[in-house]
Amino acid sequence: MKNYFTEDDEKLKWKTLSEKEILKTVVFDVMAYENISSTGVKGDYYVMKAPDWVITIPEKDGKFLMVKQWRHGEKALSVEFPGGVIDAGEEPEVAAARELLEETGCKAGRLTKLGKVNPNPALFSNHVHVFLAEDLIPTGKQNLDEDEMINCMELSKEEVMEGMGTEGFPHGLMAMAMCLYLKNKALA
């Protein structure tokens, strides 16, 4: 992979002088960092600290298996690829397989890692790991968390592509996952 950073870019880096937890929640913590630039500029920066997440793209017979669920921030239903939080000590691939099984009732015969991104490096410290799930084996049973209510459906790849960025598909990380999927297919 090409390195886009040079020695000249070192002056762009900031150092953390202090950090303080501002808010602790079940889902994330808010941290305050006092940082200083290489030129001596100081500032307070706030970052959401959360566990890493996974998104699994289940591909079956030329279609995608999608989930529909309520999103509290959007106050609306959202069509998405299955995914969720990586548990403490859990490997991303294990979490991807677990989330797929929990949300769709399917096991993956094969999982391929497509990439890892930061959801918004200005505000978040965690990463999202994206996997392609193929050779799906249906178990016929979801195993949802108490606060999860999810319906599944199969959609053509064209429907999912057309849907990205519309009212029914508002989740930006799903569009990013689709980009990694398309990149993987283009390079294959």
Side-chain angles (χ1 to χ4, degrees):
M1 182 163 117
K2 183 177 178 178
N3 180 5
Y4 293 95
F5 304 107
T6 66
E7 191 175 308
D8 189 49
D9 295 326
E10 288 298 310
K11 65 183 176 208
L12 303 175
K13 293 182 178 180
W14 291 60
K15 291 186 179 158
T16 299
L17 300 175
S18 67
E19 63 181 74
K20 179 180 169 186
E21 185 178 81
I22 301 295
L23 175 67
K24 186 167 191 65
T25 75
V26 174
V27 181
F28 62 86
D29 301 333
V30 177
M31 304 295 294
Y33 295 101
E34 180 186 16
N35 292 339
I36 187 168
S37 74
S38 63
T39 61
V41 175
K42 287 184 184 177
D44 291 328
Y45 298 89
Y46 300 90
V47 173
M48 285 193 271
K49 187 176 175 183
D52 280 6
W53 308 319
V54 291
I55 295 172
T56 305
I57 301 175
E59 189 175 33
K60 179 183 173 194
D61 301 326
K63 295 182 176 184
F64 292 130
L65 183 57
M66 307 296 288
V67 298
K68 296 181 280 188
Q69 61 187 314
W70 181 260
R71 288 304 191 182
H72 295 279
E74 184 75 8
K75 293 188 181 344
L77 291 169
S78 180
V79 179
E80 305 174 3
F81 297 115
V85 174
I86 299 174
D87 292 337
E90 188 176 37
E91 291 298 320
E93 185 172 352
V94 172
R98 176 183 51 76
E99 286 289 342
L100 174 67
L101 179 61
E102 287 177 5
E103 294 188 2
T104 69
C106 288
K107 292 182 179 181
R110 183 175 49 185
L111 273 176
T112 305
K113 187 159 188 178
L114 301 180
K116 172 180 103 169
V117 300
N118 182 303
N120 182 341
L123 301 174
F124 291 92
S125 64
N126 67 332
H127 292 90
V128 180
H129 304 258
V130 180
F131 290 85
L132 172 62
E134 298 173 289
D135 304 327
L136 300 182
I137 305 160
T139 68
K141 185 175 184 298
Q142 290 175 307
N143 184 23
L144 301 173
D145 295 337
E146 181 183 5
D147 65 345
E148 282 184 311
M149 285 144 257
I150 292 176
N151 287 334
C152 297
M153 67 178 171
E154 288 183 23
L155 292 176
S156 72
K157 293 175 185 177
E158 293 77 20
E159 286 177 286
V160 174
M161 283 293 292
E162 288 173 14
M164 288 296 165
T166 67
E167 187 176 316
F169 293 72
H171 200 313
L173 291 176
M174 299 305 140
M176 174 282 309
M178 179 59 95
C179 286
L180 289 176
Y181 172 85
L182 293 170
K183 172 185 161 187
N184 180 276
K185 290 298 180 182
L187 297 176

